[in-house]
Amino acid sequence: MTTQRSDATTTTAPPPAGGAATPDASGPIGTGSRGTRILGLATLAGIALAAYLALVSSPDDENMGDVVRIIYIHVPIVVVAYVGCMITTLGSVMYLWKKSRWWDVTAAASAEIAMVTTALTLVVGMCWARPTWGVWWVWDARLTSTAMLLLLLLGYLAVRRIPAESGARSKRASIVGVLLLPNVIIVNRSVTWWRSLHQDTTILNTLQPKIHGDMAFALYLAIPVALMMFAWLLVHRWRLAWLEEEVLDHDLDQAITDRRAEAGFDARSTTVDIGEATS
Amino acid sequence: MSDWAYVAMAWGITAVVLVAYAIWIIVRGRTLSRRVPPEDRRWM
């Protein structure tokens, strides 16, 4: 289901008493719901189990030692970042095609989560690189392409904050959002396309995983748990993005009403057809 | 630093960032929902 923003007609309804929207106890307060609370509790339980398996139960690696325990959080976060970028690209394409506000909000919410997790990917990766490679950072193909992905995500979010008419802003952001998926492919394949210090693909894009036993179980459990966390964040962030748009709309309506009142024009219960007004 | 120090750093930073981000979303959502009429707080 999609919700279309109508720009053809501006309707000025009677403003509520006091000018601002009054809170109503019958409406939902915040971004939570019964479904998100159940999902949140399941995610917390999953995180506790995944952390136990990663930090206590699983053995250390014969080459990396205990540093391997960073992998159990690094890889799931990367997966969340990839999925977030994919959903942003999907939402951007669908917005350009359908001009649907629902898809635009979906893309924006997913992009912010992808930005946070991509930044965490780099930071956590640096914590792994220092004891393993002896340096915090090298301009390796995987690291550099991931940093470029982070810059692209920051660019997407920056474009959304440039003051502009709602449709133009969403269209510009969607064009940037379409570029995310090709970048994800470049990041993922960078270790095979170029000579890289970063280790080769461990579990993704291969039918022969290079991790086994308790270590594989800890990693394979952490990934769906991280995706559950992503789903929880996405639902909440989506509802927040929706509220941000609604607040903007209500503030704009209020400003128009105030300006008309200042000009001595009674705007109450008046519908103005922009098409008629401009013809 | 020992291996465990790097492990603690990686897990700690991740936990702090994600918890802070989740709290920011929830608090901002509760603040903004009070400024929007009940019928407009959700998309359906």
Side-chain angles (χ1 to χ4, degrees):
Chain A
M1 181 182 289
T2 59
T3 305
Q4 301 280 350
R5 182 192 295 277
S6 172
D7 294 326
T9 304
T10 301
T11 303
T12 52
T22 52
D24 186 339
S26 64
I29 298 291
T31 53
S33 60
R34 188 167 179 266
T36 58
R37 279 188 280 277
I38 293 171
L39 179 61
L41 288 173
T43 302
L44 285 176
I47 289 173
L49 179 60
Y52 172 77
L53 290 174
L55 299 174
V56 180
S57 172
S58 67
D60 57 354
D61 185 76
E62 60 182 13
N63 294 318
M64 288 189 277
D66 285 318
V67 176
V68 74
R69 301 180 198 283
I70 295 176
I71 300 295
Y72 302 125
I73 198 163
H74 181 64
V75 174
I77 288 173
V78 174
V79 171
V80 168
Y82 284 176
V83 172
C85 289
M86 289 174 192
I87 291 176
T88 303
T89 296
L90 174 66
S92 299
V93 170
M94 293 302 292
Y95 176 78
L96 291 172
W97 180 25
K98 299 280 189 181
K99 293 289 181 286
S100 157
R101 184 184 177 191
W102 192 93
W103 281 111
D104 184 46
V105 173
T106 301
S110 185
E112 189 176 279
I113 300 169
M115 186 275 291
V116 171
T117 48
T118 302
L120 277 175
T121 297
L122 289 171
V123 172
V124 171
M126 289 165 71
C127 293
W128 180 84
R130 182 67 179 87
T132 309
W133 298 340
V135 290
W136 293 100
W137 180 269
V138 288
W139 292 103
D140 170 85
R142 170 62 67 86
L143 276 67
T144 306
S145 58
T146 306
M148 289 175 64
L149 181 65
L150 177 61
L151 288 176
L152 191 61
L153 284 161
L154 289 169
Y156 175 90
L157 295 171
V159 166
R160 295 199 70 88
R161 289 177 177 271
I162 296 173
E165 186 269 326
S166 173
R169 181 202 62 191
S170 299
K171 186 178 178 182
R172 292 171 193 159
S174 296
I175 292 169
V176 180
V178 168
L179 301 174
L180 285 168
L181 182 57
N183 265 268
V184 166
I185 295 170
I186 291 171
V187 171
N188 182 252
R189 304 312 300 164
S190 60
V191 289
T192 53
W193 288 349
W194 296 287
R195 291 178 61 187
S196 177
L197 187 60
H198 193 282
Q199 71 184 72
D200 201 357
T201 304
T202 303
I203 55 167
L204 299 176
N205 296 335
T206 177
L207 296 175
Q208 294 179 320
K210 297 170 183 171
I211 187 168
H212 305 280
D214 288 347
M215 299 167 84
F217 182 65
L219 187 57
Y220 289 143
L221 180 82
I223 292 172
V225 168
L227 290 173
M228 286 167 63
M229 180 201 67
F230 171 75
W232 185 89
L233 284 172
L234 184 62
V235 172
H236 280 273
R237 188 63 187 89
W238 196 101
R239 288 171 176 167
L240 175 58
W242 178 268
L243 287 169
E244 288 170 341
E245 299 255 328
E246 289 296 320
V247 167
L248 277 176
D249 283 353
H250 282 86
D251 288 352
L252 183 61
D253 287 346
Q254 189 60 44
I256 291 171
T257 305
D258 291 346
R259 289 296 298 272
R260 283 180 172 163
E262 284 175 15
F265 176 71
D266 186 6
R268 291 170 187 265
S269 303
T270 303
T271 300
V272 179
D273 189 310
I274 292 175
E276 284 183 13
T278 54
S279 63
Chain B
M1 285 199 290
S2 70
D3 286 355
W4 273 104
Y6 291 105
V7 173
M9 192 189 304
W11 279 76
I13 290 170
T14 303
V16 167
V17 169
L18 290 178
V19 167
Y21 181 57
I23 289 173
W24 174 79
I25 289 174
I26 290 170
V27 170
R28 185 163 166 76
R30 293 182 74 85
T31 304
L32 288 186
S33 66
R34 289 189 170 87
R35 294 174 57 188
V36 176
E39 65 274 15
D40 294 334
R41 288 176 190 166
R42 296 285 163 85
W43 70 282
M44 63 179 182

